[in-house]
């Protein structure tokens, strides 16, 4: 059922009347073949939510947790408590939130560039970038060690990103077994993106820098392929064997022009081929693009 709050109604007014029905049909088509799937999405602008489905349902975050983590690193740099231009030695030894030592599997990582630097000094800023643009797991854990989870929690509070929880590193399986898990909601992911878009998550220059890194994301399997080639998209996606997510800020007129910008986050959880989930997210993104204000003129 389409939300009927005043905020949703006002924000959705300029979008085509059939948006909700078409998105609902796309989801229903997938659920007809896999009723066990948990599918959430939220489309919003700075004026409020346009359309949504189970926005507060928590999903395992996969690599979308790297969004608030990197934002936390940049904020600490602004505060003078962390130097992003300082260097550290790339290593593969970490401490679980349960206190046990662990290492991560290079075969499960999507970025060989960081592994090629093991034993070498690299700038923290470069590690932040690799954790986003290639979703490097090794870089992510190194950044998490430098930042700390309290700083990430403060990002979540300041952005009012309810339901987002980042409490452990990648492949910290001991913590996972203990019930310590990274979780997100599509509503929470959108709140972080909107705070970045509005320049309230950090000083405006810092927000723009973080969005620039997100726009350079090279792993394009979800929202971006559903939009016209060349569309400016700042996003962070994530995927595991039983989950696919993407959270994106889209600016139809280019990265420096916020007119008609919108945020779209989609999360699909459950045992299902990732390719099917990628394709559904692309179809959702394409539907949103065509039914946005002025979209019929494309």
């Amino acid at each position: 059922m389409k939300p009927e709050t005043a905020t949703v109604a006002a924000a959705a007014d300029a979008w085509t009347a059939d948006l909700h029905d078409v998105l609902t049909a796309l989801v229903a088509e997938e659920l007809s073949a896999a009723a066990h799937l948990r599918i959430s999405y939220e489309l919003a602008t700075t004026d409020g939510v346009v359309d949504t489905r189970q926005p507060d349902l928590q999903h395992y975050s996969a690599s979308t947790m790297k969004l608030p983590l990197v934002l936390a690193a940049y904020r600490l740099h602004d505060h003078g408590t962390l130097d992003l231009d300082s260097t550290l030695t790339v290593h593969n030894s970490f401490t679980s939130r349960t206190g046990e030592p662990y290492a991560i599997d290079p075969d499960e990582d999507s970025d060989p560039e960081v592994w090629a630097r093991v034993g070498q000094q690299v700038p923290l800023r470069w590690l932040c970038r690799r954790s986003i643009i290639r979703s490097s797991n090794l870089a992510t854990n190194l950044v998490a060690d430098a930042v700390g989870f309290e700083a990430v929690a403060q990002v979540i509070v300041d952005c009012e990103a309810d339901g987002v929880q980042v409490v452990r590193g990648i492949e910290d399986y001991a913590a996972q077994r203990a019930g310590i898990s990274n979780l997100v909601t599509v509503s929470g992911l959108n709140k972080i993106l909107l705070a970045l878009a509005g320049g309230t998550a950090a000083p405006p220059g810092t927000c723009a820098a973080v969005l620039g890194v997100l726009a350079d994301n090279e792993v394009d399997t979800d929202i971006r392929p559903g939009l016209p080639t060349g569309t400016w998209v700042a996003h962070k996606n994530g995927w595991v064997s039983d989950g696919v997510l993407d959270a994106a800020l889209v600016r139809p007129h280019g990265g420096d022009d916020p007119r008609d910008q919108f945020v779209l986050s989609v999360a699909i959880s459950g045992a299902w081929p990732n390719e099917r989930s990628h394709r559904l997210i692309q179809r959702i993104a394409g539907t949103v693009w065509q039914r946005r204000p002025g979209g019929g003129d494309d």
Side-chain angles (χ1 to χ4, degrees):
M1 182 175 180
K2 187 173 183 177
E4 294 297 340
T5 66
T7 302
V8 171
D13 190 54
W15 297 66
T16 64
D18 68 340
L19 172 65
H20 174 75
D21 291 339
V22 175
L23 290 178
T24 298
L26 287 177
V27 172
E29 178 184 336
E30 212 70 12
L31 291 175
S32 68
H36 66 283
L37 291 179
R38 300 162 67 241
I39 302 176
S40 302
Y41 68 78
E42 184 180 86
L43 168 65
T45 70
T46 54
D47 293 327
V49 175
V50 175
D51 194 42
T52 189
R53 182 182 194 277
Q54 298 187 326
D56 301 319
L57 182 65
Q58 285 187 311
H59 297 257
Y60 176 62
S61 72
S63 289
T64 60
M65 55 78 74
K66 298 168 186 178
L67 167 57
L69 172 64
V70 168
L71 175 54
Y74 274 71
R75 285 175 24 133
L76 291 179
H77 180 80
D78 286 336
H79 297 156
T81 56
L82 182 69
D83 183 2
L84 290 180
D85 299 309
S86 64
T87 61
L88 55 81
T89 302
V90 177
H91 60 272
N92 184 22
S93 56
F94 304 100
T95 301
S96 167
R97 293 304 301 270
T98 63
E100 304 170 29
Y102 76 100
I104 63 175
D105 184 353
D107 292 335
E108 294 295 322
D109 206 336
S110 56
D111 186 13
E113 289 292 325
V114 181
W115 290 94
R117 304 288 189 91
V118 170
Q120 300 178 23
Q121 292 276 317
V122 301
L124 184 56
R125 190 185 302 272
W126 182 79
L127 291 170
C128 287
R129 181 174 175 81
R130 300 308 297 187
S131 71
I132 297 294
I133 71 166
R134 292 303 309 173
S135 208
S136 167
N137 290 341
L138 183 57
T140 297
N141 279 12
L142 293 167
V143 172
D145 275 359
V147 169
F149 293 106
E150 288 186 8
V152 186
Q154 193 60 52
V155 165
I156 293 165
V157 169
D158 291 347
C159 293
E160 300 181 352
D162 296 341
V164 176
Q165 173 180 297
V166 178
V167 290
R168 66 168 176 84
I170 303 293
E171 294 186 34
D172 184 352
Y173 296 127
Q176 186 178 42
R177 289 191 294 271
I180 303 171
S181 189
N182 297 327
L183 303 170
V184 296
T185 65
V186 292
S187 176
L189 290 171
N190 274 353
K191 290 286 183 58
I192 296 172
L193 290 171
L194 286 170
L196 284 167
T200 60
T206 298
C207 288
V210 173
L211 287 175
V213 176
L214 292 168
D216 287 341
N217 188 347
E218 298 172 1
V219 185
D220 289 326
T221 53
D222 304 290
I223 289 174
R224 185 176 272 153
L227 307 176
T229 301
T231 302
W232 189 90
V233 183
H235 75 111
K236 185 67 196 85
N237 44 354
W239 62 97
V240 288
S241 60
D242 58 354
V244 174
L245 312 89
D246 200 6
L249 169 68
V250 180
R251 288 181 170 164
H253 307 291
D256 296 327
D257 189 343
R259 289 178 302 145
D260 303 321
Q261 67 183 351
F262 61 86
V263 290
L264 174 64
S265 291
V266 187
I268 303 171
S269 298
W272 194 237
N274 279 6
E275 292 74 15
R276 293 288 298 266
S277 295
H278 295 317
R279 190 157 57 248
L280 175 59
I281 295 174
Q282 291 167 21
R283 294 175 69 193
I284 290 172
T287 296
V288 166
W289 179 267
Q290 288 298 322
R291 286 161 176 78
R292 77 191 195 284
D297 298 331
D298 291 341

